[in-house]
Amino acid sequence: MSEHPMDRAIRLARVFRPHPNPRVGAVVVDSFGNVIGEGAHERPGLPHAEVVALEAAGPQAAGSTMYVTLEPCNHTGRTGPCVAAIVRADVEKVVVGMLDPDEQVSGRGIAALRAAGVGVEVDGSHPALKDLDPGYFQHRRTGRPRFTLKSALTLDGQVAARDGTARWITGEEARLDGHRLRAESDAVLVGAGTIFADDPRLDVRLPGYAGPQPRPVVLSGRRRLPDGAQVLARNALVVATGSTEQPGDLLIVPSNADGRPDIAGVAAALGEAGLVDVMIEGGPTIARSLWRAGLIDRGVWYFASRVAGGSGRNVFSGHFQTLAEAGTVEIVDIQKVGTDLRVEFVMEG
C-alpha cells in the first residue's frame, strides 16, 4: 500500500526543527494521486513547506490537491503568505492537518483560501499530527516553552550519591539516547551549580550528527559564571537577576524571595526569546522549582540497572510530606535502552 500524502508530509516535517516557526510538511498530488511536489520548512527565513512543494510541482500544480500538516499562513513575515502562493498556483483543494494556534494565522489562512475559491478540508485524523510539534503548540498557547525534565537515576530513585558522584549512573546506550533528546531541543537548561561542578558543554555528541545544537541556558541568579566556562563559547543564554557583570548573553528576570530567578518569569522570558522546546538537565533544586510551579510538561527518565540501597540525592530537592502533594502523570512510553529502562511521561490535564 502506498504512503498516504499526509503521512508523507508528516515524515518530511519531522526532519527539520525551524523553531520558533512550526515544523510543517507539504505534499502536492495530481488528480490521479501521484506526488508532483513536496517540501518542508527547514529554518526561519527560508521558504515555507507549501512554497517549496509548489515550486517543485511547477505548472502541474494547477488543479492539484495539497496536503499540508498545518494551516497555511496568510500574513507576511520574513517570507510571503503561503495562501497567496497557493492561490497563484491554481491549487484546487488543500487538505489541512491541524489549525495553527498562532493568533496571526488561526483560522485566517483557511478563511482566505475559501474566499479565493480553493476547497479546504481540515483532517486531523492522523495520530502522528498530534506529536509532530508539541513544543510549538505549547508555546503558541501559553507563551512559554514546553519543558522536558530529563533525569538519570538508580532503580530506587537516586540521581547522585550523597557525595555528589553521579557519573555514570546509566549505560552508554541511555546516554546516547539522552543526546538524541538534546538534538530535539531548542535549549538545555541548567543551574550555575552544574557549571561550577562539571563545566559541561551541553551539546549534542552523536556519531555523525550535523544538525542544529541546542542553546545552553544557565540560571545564574546572582552568581557570576567563570569566564572560561565551556557553555560561554556556545552562545549561552545566562539568566540573571540584575547583575550586568555576567559573561555571555544576558537575560534579566525578577528574583524571588531567596534571590533566585523567579521561575515563572524565567519561563515567560525564554518564550519571548523564541525557545519552544527546552530540556531541563539541572539539579534537584531547579527541578523542584519548575515542578512546584506546574511548568514541567514532560519527563524522560532513565532508570539505571543499579540500586543505590540508601538515600543520596533525589530528582527533586525538598521533602515529600503527604501523598496529596504528588502530581498525576500519564506514562506514554516504556522501553529498555541497553541495560537501562527509559520511561516517558506527560502531565495529565
Side-chain angles (χ1 to χ4, degrees):
M1 184 177 179
S2 61
E3 186 177 27
H4 190 281
M6 188 63 79
D7 291 326
R8 189 181 184 101
I10 292 168
R11 180 168 55 81
L12 290 166
R14 286 192 188 282
V15 176
F16 303 101
R17 178 162 52 83
H19 295 161
N21 292 351
R23 287 185 172 100
V24 182
V27 173
V28 182
V29 301
D30 63 19
S31 58
F32 300 101
N34 300 312
V35 174
I36 55 175
E38 61 184 29
H41 185 35
E42 296 187 21
R43 65 176 186 269
L46 291 184
H48 290 184
E50 299 94 322
V51 173
V52 176
L54 290 171
E55 288 178 349
Q60 296 181 82
S64 67
T65 297
M66 172 182 285
Y67 291 81
V68 60
T69 57
L70 193 69
E71 178 182 6
C73 65
N74 192 39
H75 64 281
T76 299
R78 295 173 69 175
T79 60
C82 292
V83 166
I86 292 168
V87 173
R88 282 197 305 270
D90 199 22
V91 173
E92 183 174 314
K93 180 180 178 182
V94 177
V95 180
V96 175
M98 298 186 74
L99 296 180
D100 193 330
D102 192 307
E103 61 181 14
Q104 294 186 87
V105 183
S106 190
R108 298 179 184 179
I110 288 174
L113 285 170
R114 286 175 172 158
V118 180
V120 179
E121 176 186 343
V122 181
D123 178 14
S125 63
H126 296 264
L129 282 166
K130 181 182 70 172
D131 301 320
L132 178 58
D133 204 357
Y136 172 78
F137 278 80
Q138 168 80 20
H139 183 267
R140 292 306 193 270
R141 283 196 303 263
T142 67
R144 68 167 180 85
R146 179 180 71 150
F147 288 105
T148 296
L149 177 60
K150 177 255 182 183
S151 188
L153 55 163
T154 64
L155 203 57
D156 51 343
Q158 307 303 301
V159 298
R162 190 170 289 274
D163 66 0
T165 54
R167 186 177 295 182
W168 298 101
I169 285 180
T170 55
E172 182 178 359
E173 293 89 343
R175 296 198 297 274
L176 286 173
D177 194 75
H179 278 273
R180 284 188 282 272
L181 267 183
R182 282 185 181 177
E184 297 170 2
S185 305
D186 300 325
V188 178
L189 184 150
V190 300
T194 298
I195 303 301
F196 280 98
D198 301 328
D199 190 24
R201 294 198 303 271
L202 302 180
D203 58 350
V204 177
R205 298 187 298 278
L206 291 170
Y209 180 76
Q213 290 285 350
R215 189 176 192 186
V217 175
V218 183
L219 302 190
S220 69
R222 297 172 181 169
R223 298 182 72 179
R224 188 182 193 280
L225 300 183
D227 291 324
Q230 294 191 86
V231 292
L232 295 177
R234 297 197 50 245
N235 190 34
L237 184 60
V238 181
V239 182
T241 55
S243 171
T244 58
E245 298 179 359
Q246 286 278 8
D249 190 3
L250 276 183
L251 184 64
I252 306 299
V253 299
S255 62
N256 56 24
D258 61 5
R260 300 178 186 274
D262 175 74
I263 206 67
V266 170
L270 294 182
E272 290 175 6
L275 298 176
V276 170
D277 257 309
V278 175
M279 188 164 99
I280 307 157
E281 289 198 35
T285 301
I286 287 177
R288 181 171 175 81
S289 295
L290 285 155
W291 179 265
R292 291 188 65 113
L295 294 172
I296 292 176
D297 304 293
R298 171 183 178 230
V300 179
W301 290 10
Y302 299 92
F303 288 90
S305 52
R306 295 172 181 259
V307 175
S311 177
R313 297 183 182 178
N314 206 329
V315 178
F316 303 105
S317 64
H319 298 287
F320 178 40
Q321 300 288 3
T322 176
L323 188 60
E325 293 179 353
T328 303
V329 305
E330 178 188 355
I331 296 174
V332 295
D333 185 61
I334 301 175
Q335 57 181 286
K336 195 169 183 184
V337 181
T339 59
D340 306 316
L341 194 65
R342 181 189 193 272
V343 177
E344 180 177 349
F345 65 85
V346 296
M347 298 305 299
E348 286 196 349

